[in-house]
Amino acid sequence: RAFARIQAQAPEAQLVVAGDGSERATLEALVAELRLSNVTFTGRVPHERMSALYEAADIYLNSPDIDNMPSSVIEAYAAGIPVVTTDAGGIPYILRHEATGMLVPCGDDAAMATAALRLLQEPALAQRISTQARAELEARYVWPAVRDAWLDLYARMVAAHGAGAASHHAGAA
């Protein structure tokens, strides 16, 4: 439904639906019902082909009602593609509105379309978001950053456990 709104403003717009699942037939029927053009369903995409899809995209649309921490958002950060996503689940913890992407309420296709069209109409905003998202990726989601965070957590847990164990034993004496 968001893409129908986008295509009404940008008739040449294309939508690639990557992946497969139980909703595919419903989505294909909706595309026909809304008389959308330029929509491609890829089905399951092998990991080695994903970079080509990201490279061909101008915007990554992510519209779940339920999600945790979608790796596809992080992949879009890495690919330099601005993200428009719903605020489902843990997504607001990995994407900040107008900083590292555009965040819209779940189920609000009008807001999703408006955000996507804004990125198309404001290339400087799209570029700023892409740049900040890439910086966020480098600071939080690449192995050296993750490794350091895990090592710090382990060190704090060992220190807390060691201190707790020592005070527990002293109290028993």
Side-chain angles (χ1 to χ4, degrees):
R1 294 188 190 283
F3 185 67
R5 293 173 184 272
I6 293 166
Q7 200 164 63
Q9 298 286 322
E12 72 287 352
Q14 299 177 24
L15 177 66
V16 175
V17 181
D20 215 350
S22 61
E23 294 297 312
R24 180 173 177 166
T26 303
L27 291 173
E28 288 175 332
L30 184 59
V31 166
E33 176 189 327
L34 297 174
R35 300 176 194 253
L36 299 175
S37 59
N38 303 326
V39 177
T40 304
F41 287 85
T42 67
R44 187 185 163 286
V45 179
H47 183 71
E48 60 274 5
R49 285 198 44 233
M50 282 305 298
S51 62
L53 288 179
Y54 284 122
E55 188 174 310
D58 294 317
I59 297 172
Y60 177 68
L61 299 176
N62 185 53
S63 60
D65 290 329
I66 299 170
D67 214 324
N68 186 11
M69 184 180 170
S71 61
S72 61
V73 169
I74 305 300
E75 290 169 357
Y77 285 4
I81 303 168
V83 175
V84 177
T85 185
T86 59
D87 59 0
I91 294 172
Y93 294 100
I94 63 172
L95 186 143
R96 293 181 324 280
H97 183 62
E98 293 188 2
T100 58
M102 303 295 277
L103 201 59
V104 301
C106 288
D108 192 340
D109 58 277
M112 179 160 277
T114 297
L117 288 166
R118 184 172 171 210
L119 291 174
L120 291 173
Q121 295 162 354
E122 298 179 35
L125 173 63
Q127 181 60 50
R128 180 178 57 79
I129 284 173
S130 295
T131 300
Q132 289 178 189
R134 180 63 189 215
E136 179 91 357
L137 168 88
E138 295 292 335
R140 296 181 64 192
Y141 301 110
V142 296
W143 174 242
V146 173
R147 179 197 59 218
D148 292 348
W150 277 102
L151 289 173
D152 180 58
L153 175 63
Y154 286 140
R156 286 185 287 131
M157 290 175 67
V158 167
H161 180 14
S167 65
H168 176 71
H169 292 300

